[in-house]
Amino acid sequence: MNVQAVKQWMITLLIVVWGGPSFVFGGTIASRLHELLSASGASSRHNVVIKPKGHASLAVLANLLRNRGGRRLRTLRCANLVAAELSKSQINVLATNESIGSIRQDITIFAPERTAGSKSAPSSSNWANVMSGVLELQNEGIDGTGVVVAALDTGVDLNHPALITRFRGQATDWFDPHLSTAEPYDPHGHGTQTTGLAVAAQVGAAPGAKWIAGKIFADDGTALASSIHQCFDWVIDPDGNPATDDAPHVVICAWGTPNYHSPLDEEFEPDLAALRAANIVVILAAGNDGPHPNTSVSPANNPSGFAVGAADDSGNVVDFSSRGPIPDTLRLYPDVVAPGKDLTTTDATFGGPASYVEVSGTSFAAGLTGGIAALLRQAVPSASVTDILQALRLSCQDVGQFGADYAAGQGLIHAAIARDILTGIPAPGDLNGDNKIDWDDFFLMSNHWGEKTNTGDANGDGEITWYDHQLIEGHRLP
């Protein structure tokens, strides 16, 4: 090997070791944390999350940290981590322990901005509920009754009259990892706004559903990643008793962290995967960093995420809605879009009278979609998470660029069409009824091109024409 090749090999090795947050320094301490420790004094203390090595249990790891002087220990089951506050010297000593796989910084995440203002109570259903097919289901008596929606956000204002009667109300239906408060509250407003679009009377997609909430953000609008992990652990089993069936059917995560560059931030992927395995639908906001490409956010862009972008009242993707592709992959992002501009919803009362506000953002598109998922769960209780998310994709009306794209994903969701798909009615363009629109449907249509027949007829007009081709291409899943 010549000298130039050796230099290139060394540079490549350094990039792997130092290159990003998913790599670890020295095999144990993550690169970001190592940089922080290098710039810190000997007596400095740091919030970290620690992953056990191999088959080492969380209990053994927590006991080890306790014996080594760790503070604020929290076991995070879904993520398979232990969070702790440790000194610089403690971190360096623990990095050599064979029970520890990695130590990384417990990052700080910021709550989305709250929309201020005031608006009178709506006299009719949100325009968004009409456009997205929600009103059609509500008129059939499908309003989310029997379904529970969890909001993981800044909290929810229990004093709002459109929300207080929808709270499930058990002692374990509110989780505050910061102050351990006994009842739901929202000093910020964002959580009240997103939850309203899901379950509040008049404005919500599923006003018959109940809600529970985890306050992932402290009163100052910040959250450690470990606090969010705690909320995921709570929401999968709110009362801590596996024998009781108290988990929600739908979880709304209307927040995220920018993740424009490699490597992909999968901090919360284990949590999302655990909830999906528990048959809980998780709806995530796609982010408000558009219109440029490569502006996806985590955890919406994680493998187990379902990202919802925002559309206006004409069905167009709004400029602020984040775009794909996802770092390190050409995977579609967002998955779908939903109404998310100029929506009327509940606002935090701050001790005053009932208040409403007009909001815009993918957070609110996610809130609405969470409500739609609740309607689908009521309509077809046996439907799995995979079934519901696939039905939402297949229900989409193609908008913007022809076919699936990195602005609109599959397109604009429609609740009634999604319900039909779940009950066995094929989606428009699903000619062979296999619950997906793909090349098989395209070939079926092509084999009958120009014929007056129902076989291969995607739009139901009795003949096979260019319009059928456009419908299938516009809805074909990548």
Side-chain angles (χ1 to χ4, degrees), residues 237-412:
D237 186 11
D239 68 357
N241 181 359
T244 59
D245 183 16
D246 64 333
H249 303 90
V250 179
V251 172
I252 301 170
C253 296
W255 47 269
T257 60
N259 185 208
Y260 309 152
H261 307 294
S262 300
L264 180 63
D265 180 0
E266 296 188 359
E267 175 73 35
F268 302 109
E269 170 60 20
D271 304 281
L272 299 182
L275 266 62
R276 177 170 288 203
N279 206 32
I280 299 172
V281 177
V282 184
I283 303 296
L284 300 112
N288 300 327
D289 298 319
H292 300 296
N294 303 300
T295 49
S296 69
V297 301
S298 295
N301 60 10
N302 285 191
S304 297
F306 185 82
V308 181
D312 62 20
D313 59 2
S314 296
N316 300 314
V317 181
V318 293
D319 283 348
F320 61 71
S321 189
S322 288
R323 269 71 165 171
I326 295 170
D328 307 320
T329 175
L330 296 179
R331 194 155 47 88
L332 192 66
Y333 188 93
D335 289 276
V336 298
V337 294
K341 187 174 187 295
D342 300 334
L343 308 183
T344 299
T345 187
T346 49
D347 196 13
T349 62
F350 301 108
S355 55
Y356 293 83
V357 65
E358 190 171 87
V359 295
S360 296
T362 60
S363 290
F364 311 111
L368 173 66
T369 304
I372 291 174
L375 298 179
L376 299 179
R377 182 68 90 184
Q378 178 196 0
V380 188
S382 62
S384 67
V385 170
T386 300
D387 293 336
I388 289 173
L389 298 183
Q390 181 73 342
L392 286 172
R393 293 187 184 97
L394 289 170
S395 77
C396 287
Q397 171 190 347
D398 190 31
V399 296
Q401 182 180 329
F402 186 65
D405 60 73
Y406 291 129
Q410 287 299 325
L412 184 65

Side-chain angles (χ1 to χ4, degrees), residues 21 32 36 73 103 125 137 157 159 161 192 201 227 233 251 302 309 330 364 367 395 407 433 436 444 463 477:
R32 285 181 181 174
L36 180 63
L73 298 180
I103 308 174
S125 183
L137 292 185
D157 184 359
N159 292 320
T192 301
S227 298
D233 280 354
V251 172
N302 285 191
L330 296 179
F364 311 111
S395 77
K436 57 185 176 180
L444 181 60
E463 58 182 332
L477 298 177

Side-chain angles (χ1 to χ4, degrees), residues 44 69 84 105 163 167 170-171 178 192 199 299 335 401 411 458:
S44 61
Q105 183 182 7
L163 291 168
F167 181 47
Q170 298 176 12
H178 311 284
T192 301
V199 302
D335 289 276
Q401 182 180 329

Side-chain angles (χ1 to χ4, degrees), residues 25-29 89-98 100-101 103:
F25 176 83
T28 302
I29 301 178
S89 60
Q90 287 170 333
I91 293 171
N92 287 327
V93 170
L94 287 167
T96 64
N97 191 287
E98 294 183 354
I100 292 177
I103 308 174

Side-chain angles (χ1 to χ4, degrees), residues 145-169:
T145 296
V147 179
V148 178
V149 177
L152 302 186
D153 212 295
T154 60
V156 179
D157 184 359
L158 187 59
N159 292 320
H160 200 293
L163 291 168
I164 187 171
T165 59
R166 308 320 308 153
F167 181 47
R168 189 168 67 176

